[in-house]
Amino acid sequence: MTAGRTAQLTRTTSESSIELSLDLDGTGQSDIHTTVPFFDHLLTAFAKHSLVDLTVKATGDIDIDVHHTVEDTGITLGTAIRQALGDKTGIGRFGDAHVPLDEALARAVVDVSGRPYLVHSGEPEGFALHLIGGHFTGSMIRHVVEAITFHAGLSVHLTVLAGRDPHHIAEAQFKAFARAFREAVEPDPRVSGVPSTKGAL
Ligand SMILES: [Mn+2]
């Protein structure tokens, strides 16, 4: 069942154009070009720590701001994850991780439930309004994780437990999410069929 858990998508609107491909059973290789440097950094970390192979080529109206390009890339990534997961036969389904980055500490818990839900908390006051690298608003972290979560059909609890540096707080969250995601989508040889008493996810 692990063969062919891949997806390739193109999504174009008047605000952005996204080309994305992924392989859930990869080794964490990535080639990311979104024209938003800090977002490239986050997606590269996501691939590395989820072991998803990921290529993204995005362009958008960043002359306005990064919002549309980041959000639309999140929508496309979530949609691709959902496609690549297929019927979810043989996966572990749940994953959780605590990931530190120096003083920052994030926890992510993922359920490949098919029921989109995000519970997000713990970012310190002021984080949402901070411009990381001068171009990436802290508020975009929740926005893009929401887009991924909703379109992939994941239930995610993402919590910042500690942190002071905005770069660290953002990156720790993406790494924790990646690590929990890896565990949740990984094939479990003891699971037969779809891991739900309902028989479907
Ligand atoms: Mn970094």
Side-chain angles (χ1 to χ4, degrees):
M1 63 127 281
T2 59
R5 295 203 305 168
T6 63
Q8 194 163 358
L9 283 179
T10 302
R11 183 181 189 276
T12 302
T13 70
S14 61
E15 295 174 340
S16 71
S17 183
I18 319 288
E19 284 173 51
L20 184 149
S21 69
L22 63 76
D23 181 351
L24 293 180
D25 301 298
T27 58
Q29 305 213 53
S30 64
D31 186 21
I32 315 280
H33 301 278
T34 68
T35 74
V36 181
F38 189 69
F39 191 41
D40 288 358
H41 185 52
L42 293 176
L43 289 177
T44 301
F46 173 78
K48 177 65 77 178
H49 298 291
S50 66
L51 301 181
V52 169
D53 287 345
L54 181 64
T55 67
V56 181
K57 193 166 181 219
T59 55
D61 54 3
I62 60 161
D63 50 314
I64 297 173
D65 76 348
V66 307
H67 197 109
H68 299 140
T69 301
V70 172
E71 176 179 9
D72 293 350
T73 300
I75 289 169
T76 310
L77 176 56
T79 306
I81 288 169
R82 185 167 204 138
Q83 274 187 20
L85 279 166
D87 69 2
K88 300 164 188 163
T89 297
I91 63 169
R93 179 177 168 180
F94 302 102
D96 64 272
H98 285 82
V99 171
L101 205 178
D102 296 349
E103 90 296 344
L105 177 64
R107 175 182 63 215
V109 184
V110 172
D111 178 6
V112 187
S113 60
R115 294 144 56 101
Y117 209 100
L118 175 66
V119 179
H120 183 230
S121 62
E123 288 176 345
E125 197 177 338
F127 175 82
L129 303 179
H130 181 78
L131 273 182
I132 300 169
H135 67 279
F136 189 95
T137 318
S139 65
M140 290 309 299
I141 295 294
R142 178 178 300 176
H143 203 48
V144 70
V145 173
E146 232 165 33
I148 297 166
T149 295
F150 276 60
H151 290 270
L154 307 174
S155 176
V156 175
H157 287 243
L158 182 59
T159 312
V160 177
L161 298 170
R164 181 175 176 276
D165 179 86
H167 185 129
H168 289 172
I169 292 165
E171 189 171 331
Q173 291 189 80
F174 255 72
K175 285 176 171 170
F177 174 57
R179 196 60 193 219
F181 178 83
R182 169 187 165 183
E183 186 182 353
V185 304
E186 214 138 59
D188 182 335
R190 295 184 64 200
V191 172
S192 68
V194 177
S196 167
T197 53
K198 292 196 299 259
L201 288 171

